[in-house]
Amino acid sequence: MNKKDAAQFKKLLTQRRTEILNKVNAQKERDDAEIIVGDEIDTASQNSEKEMYFELAAADKITLNDISDALAKIEKGDYGTCECCNCAIPLERIKAIPWVRYCIQCQEEAERPKK
Ligand SMILES: [Zn+2]
């Protein structure tokens, strides 16, 4: 990947990371506010909402981790390379998922059920 493309993806990744961090912070503020309102809220719906937040936070954690790894790869100059087979990941795939780690072949291989 050339430096110009890498710089663009770096910008994209940094933006995405900021978005997720802002969202996580907003959720945290909401959670803190809920403690104050307390008994006013129906407990059942509160619990399911909390579970949803928890799942969301877990997915965000993974994405944040992938983004920081991708940024590290840009610094090292091996961004856009499959972590499994070292081939160059097609630009279209990187555009769809800028923090993608594997080429389509390796991804499919990993997701295929084991015999
Ligand atoms: Zn691969």
Side-chain angles (χ1 to χ4, degrees):
M1 175 175 296
N2 65 46
K3 279 187 178 168
K4 199 177 146 231
D5 281 346
Q8 269 191 339
F9 284 117
K10 185 180 177 177
K11 208 173 135 190
L12 241 158
L13 287 160
T14 312
Q15 269 176 3
R16 187 81 185 102
R17 185 170 62 180
T18 309
E19 274 171 28
I20 294 173
L21 289 176
N22 284 344
K23 196 177 73 178
V24 171
N25 284 337
Q27 269 168 25
K28 199 178 166 294
E29 276 168 27
R30 255 190 78 166
D31 282 353
D32 290 347
E34 264 180 28
I35 295 164
I36 301 162
V37 222
D39 299 333
E40 304 273 329
I41 301 162
D42 173 50
T43 319
S45 74
Q46 198 183 2
N47 281 345
S48 65
E49 240 184 58
K50 275 254 192 305
E51 271 168 37
M52 199 182 74
Y53 284 162
F54 184 76
E55 276 172 33
L56 215 73
D60 284 342
K61 240 181 182 172
I62 294 166
T63 308
L64 282 173
N65 187 38
D66 287 348
I67 289 174
S68 72
D69 282 358
L71 287 167
K73 282 163 79 177
I74 289 174
E75 294 304 321
K76 277 198 295 179
D78 55 9
Y79 178 66
T81 307
C82 174
E83 288 181 17
C84 180
C85 68
N86 282 323
C87 73
I89 300 169
L91 208 59
E92 286 308 310
R93 180 163 166 80
I94 299 172
K95 276 181 187 163
I97 319 162
W99 52 87
V100 71
R101 292 173 184 273
Y102 306 111
C103 68
I104 290 168
Q105 285 82 357
C106 291
Q107 185 85 51
E108 280 177 356
E109 193 71 39
E111 282 169 6
R112 195 175 300 157
K114 301 253 184 308
K115 277 173 200 166

